[in-house]
Amino acid sequence: MDLLLSKLLPPLLYPLPLACWALIFAIVRFWRAPKQAAIALVIALSILLLSGNDYVATALIASLERQYLPPDPMPKAAAIVVLGGAVVPQTAPRPWVEVTEGGDRILYGAHLFRQGYAPYLILSGGRIEWLGETFQRGEAADMAEIATTCGVPTDKILLDTTSLNTYENAVNVKALLEKHQIEGDLLLVTSAYHMPRSVAIFRRLEMNVIPAPTDYRYLSIARSPTWQNLLLSLIPNPYNVYITTIALREYQGLLVYKLRGWL
């Protein structure tokens, strides 16, 4: 049920699927109820125009990413916790483990370890086996391979390879801390947009985390107030739809986790 609520149902309400549902409704009702079809077409167009708009996408993602900025100076901690969701397995034709756009998570976590900010690197993330897929190992193991390539000793890496969502990340990390008797503050590394939900869950489980966000999609760079930039910002594009979807997914996640009592 948790998988259904957090992984399968929310995508049905993302901008692109919503626009498609409206278009399907318009096609079905076109002959018998042309006014309804016209309204559905307007709704579909509005969804695409808004979600693809640069100002809308930026406002939504920035509302999440601005909540926790990188600490300055970076404090030392008992361990660095890196959450999964940014690595894909070595399956043909990939020659090795690959990172997605959120791959900054494991790279930044390894960087913090190499800089001496904590004596342990905890990697948390499993894999959901969709449509009968099977994986030889969880995502955390793939992240560990990247970390060791970056120079992190294997005996300083602790793995949670079974968690399938952010709540399970926190629960399993807490179990690892207790098992290895690690006490103290934790540097929590995940994507900036994902940090509000992550911090809330870890703190709810009584872990003192210090946000160390990475993978920023919003940059506070002032745009030149030219008509060309204004026009380009208003024209919808696929990347903005993607950014809007990420932000809406996070807000959906916050709502679902709140309803589940995890926040």
Side-chain angles (χ1 to χ4, degrees):
M1 181 58 68
D2 291 339
L3 179 62
L4 178 67
L5 289 175
S6 62
K7 300 294 184 182
L8 298 181
L9 292 183
L12 298 177
L13 302 178
Y14 292 164
L16 188 56
L18 282 177
C20 289
W21 307 143
L23 289 173
I24 292 172
F25 179 86
I27 292 172
V28 172
R29 302 294 293 170
F30 182 77
W31 297 109
R32 293 192 176 185
K35 289 185 178 180
Q36 293 180 9
I39 293 173
L41 288 174
V42 170
I43 292 174
L45 179 60
S46 299
I47 291 172
L48 294 176
L49 288 175
L50 288 173
S51 63
N53 182 278
D54 187 58
Y55 291 104
V56 173
T58 297
L60 285 172
I61 201 70
S63 67
L64 292 164
E65 295 187 342
R66 286 174 175 166
Q67 294 186 38
Y68 293 101
L69 299 176
D72 184 20
M74 181 71 68
K76 292 192 175 183
I80 300 165
V81 178
V82 181
L83 303 188
V87 176
V88 290
Q90 179 185 352
T91 52
R94 300 188 189 108
W96 193 54
V97 178
E98 295 182 3
V99 296
T100 63
E101 189 173 359
D104 306 301
R105 299 182 186 187
I106 180 56
L107 299 178
Y108 187 46
H111 170 74
L112 290 175
F113 179 90
R114 291 291 306 274
Q115 293 296 311
Y117 286 105
Y120 293 99
L121 182 64
I122 302 176
L123 308 178
S124 178
R127 283 202 169 94
I128 300 174
E129 297 183 348
W130 301 102
L131 301 176
E133 291 178 298
T134 56
F135 300 101
Q136 294 182 348
R137 59 186 186 182
E139 184 183 2
D142 286 341
M143 290 196 294
E145 189 168 345
I146 294 173
T148 55
T149 301
C150 293
V152 180
T154 55
D155 61 339
K156 298 298 183 180
I157 300 175
L158 304 179
L159 300 181
D160 154 38
T161 62
T162 62
S163 56
L164 301 181
N165 56 43
T166 309
Y167 178 75
E168 292 183 6
N169 287 149
V171 171
N172 292 351
V173 166
K174 185 173 185 178
L176 280 174
L177 294 174
E178 294 173 351
K179 176 181 178 181
H180 294 274
Q181 298 181 336
I182 298 174
E183 298 179 352
D185 296 342
L186 305 172
L187 287 177
L188 181 60
V189 178
T190 188
S191 298
Y193 67 83
H194 183 233
M195 190 61 76
R197 180 158 53 118
S198 304
V199 168
I201 294 171
F202 274 77
R203 289 179 177 171
R204 177 68 180 270
L205 294 177
E206 300 181 340
M207 286 177 279
N208 188 22
V209 293
I210 301 168
T214 186
D215 182 33
Y216 277 86
R217 312 300 171 95
Y218 160 77
L219 299 177
S220 55
I221 300 176
R223 297 189 183 94
S224 300
T226 62
W227 69 267
Q228 294 95 333
N229 285 341
L230 176 61
L231 180 61
L232 289 174
S233 297
L234 293 176
I235 297 175
N237 67 70
Y239 183 72
N240 285 336
V241 175
Y242 168 63
I243 293 299
T244 299
T245 301
I246 288 178
L248 293 178
R249 181 182 66 195
E250 274 306 302
Y251 280 115
Q252 289 177 359
L254 286 166
L255 176 61
V256 170
Y257 279 35
K258 187 70 174 179
L259 294 175
R260 291 286 298 147
W262 293 344
L263 297 178

